[in-house]
Amino acid sequence: MNLSIDMKEKENELLVKVAGEIDAYTAPKLKETLQPSAESDDKDITVDLSEVSYMDSTGLGVFVGLFKTVKARGGQLNLIGLSDRLQRLFDITGLGDIMNINSKVEGGVE
């Protein structure tokens, strides 16, 4: 399955809508697309995962790396729109406790 990534920049925030499956095949594309923005100082990144049907540990690794980079640069990573399955994946690994995750999309990415 393909992965689609739609990015919109507004001021010091990047809004990203991801759709499809995040796995060993598609995770490198996601990382390659998001990493340059994560390396900007004081940039907040909001990623809407409401249309992600599947994610494996490779996808988790992308978000851990993104989280570390954004935080080190003074920004914040927000994950929104997680399905129950994705939320459980983040909770089981303990990432749900350290990352800013909101299962609801509020205003979010269009």
Side-chain angles (χ1 to χ4, degrees):
M1 165 142 213
N2 285 338
L3 184 70
S4 88
I5 305 165
D6 182 38
M7 302 189 340
K8 290 186 174 83
E9 189 105 28
K10 60 184 232 201
E11 295 177 24
N12 226 22
E13 183 175 16
L14 178 65
L15 305 174
V16 183
K17 178 131 180 123
V18 181
E21 297 181 357
I22 305 172
D23 57 21
Y25 178 71
T26 59
K29 175 185 176 186
L30 181 63
K31 181 178 180 179
E32 180 180 296
T33 303
L34 297 179
Q35 197 63 37
S37 296
E39 293 172 358
S40 301
D41 287 340
D42 296 322
K43 168 118 22 193
D44 290 341
I45 299 177
T46 299
V47 182
D48 181 350
L49 298 172
S50 59
E51 293 184 29
V52 172
S53 57
Y54 174 82
M55 179 166 38
D56 67 10
S57 61
T58 316
L60 279 177
V62 170
F63 287 110
V64 168
L66 195 61
F67 173 76
K68 288 179 178 179
T69 302
V70 170
K71 188 173 180 178
R73 300 276 187 177
Q76 184 171 342
L77 175 66
N78 305 300
L79 303 179
I80 60 173
L82 278 72
S83 66
D84 290 341
R85 185 179 197 170
L86 290 183
Q87 181 69 53
R88 204 165 34 254
L89 185 61
F90 279 89
D91 289 344
I92 287 170
T93 58
L95 295 172
D97 295 333
I98 58 171
M99 290 185 170
N100 188 12
I101 298 174
N102 186 345
S103 58
K104 306 240 184 316
V105 178
E106 298 169 1
V109 182
E110 297 177 10

